[in-house]
Amino acid sequence: LKEEDDALFSSGIGKSLDERYIFYVAESEETSEVWYIDLLSTSTTIAADGDDEENDSSHDDEEEEMKCVSLRRNNVQYDVESHGDSWYIITNVNNSENRKLMVSPAKSHSEDDWELVLDGDGNPLFDGSPLDKKSLNSINAFETHAVLE
């Protein structure tokens, strides 16, 4: 899928909990970058026996290209989970001391659309403030709810 050329970065591949996306994550101790493929948009189909079907000349499909959630920015780390047509993002963007929970449309180069997730009273759930006594490590988004750890 993709190769990481920077020796300071490690990389890995995973699937979103809703099984819609394959994520490729490259990260160092201070910076991360997430690429994805939308499996609902790919041309490869899975046959009933589990084998990939070959596209013959009657198919006019194109292969899905990997897209980036947000390009690398020095000292910005982020993790992504999908939920419907949204990304849920845990990040330290804007030099936040703690990680914050943000949401954006599930699209490439979405960093300008990242917004804090608010509770029912309009207050941020996790805003990255050093005064916040809560910490945030991960999110698992399900159809009807999310689990924050």
Side-chain angles (χ1 to χ4, degrees):
L1 290 173
K2 192 160 176 57
E3 184 175 335
E4 179 54 54
D5 296 326
D6 189 329
L8 295 177
F9 282 75
S10 60
S11 61
I13 295 175
K15 190 183 253 187
S16 62
L17 285 175
D18 62 8
E19 298 188 347
R20 179 174 176 175
Y21 299 97
I22 292 178
F23 291 117
Y24 168 86
V25 179
E27 58 190 352
S28 70
E29 292 205 19
E30 298 176 344
T31 304
S32 61
E33 181 177 63
V34 178
W35 292 76
Y36 67 94
I37 293 177
D38 185 342
L39 296 175
L40 296 181
S41 298
T42 61
S43 64
T44 302
T45 57
I46 305 298
D49 61 3
D51 292 334
D52 288 350
E53 292 181 359
E54 295 285 330
N55 286 337
D56 62 26
S57 58
S58 66
H59 289 81
D60 202 17
D61 295 340
E62 293 183 21
E63 199 172 302
E64 178 74 8
E65 291 184 26
M66 292 187 77
K67 298 175 183 168
C68 190
V69 173
S70 175
L71 291 174
R72 273 176 214 185
R73 293 175 279 170
N74 285 335
N75 299 314
V76 174
Q77 295 177 314
Y78 69 96
D79 297 313
V80 177
E81 183 55 69
S82 69
H83 185 266
D85 292 329
S86 298
W87 297 136
Y88 278 94
I89 303 142
I90 299 173
T91 182
N92 68 339
V93 71
N94 299 328
N95 299 315
S96 130
E97 288 191 32
N98 292 319
R99 300 181 78 174
K100 51 181 96 173
L101 178 61
M102 304 187 88
V103 66
S104 77
K107 65 178 189 175
S108 62
H109 305 290
S110 64
E111 59 273 4
D112 290 337
D113 296 316
W114 293 5
E115 296 180 357
L116 288 170
V117 174
L118 306 177
D119 65 16
D121 296 325
N123 300 312
L125 289 177
F126 292 90
D127 65 2
S129 165
L131 302 176
D132 196 344
K133 301 289 188 228
K134 303 176 283 185
S135 65
L136 180 62
N137 295 315
S138 67
I139 181 170
N140 295 307
F142 300 97
E143 187 173 330
T144 59
H145 64 284
V147 177
L148 305 173
E149 297 180 89

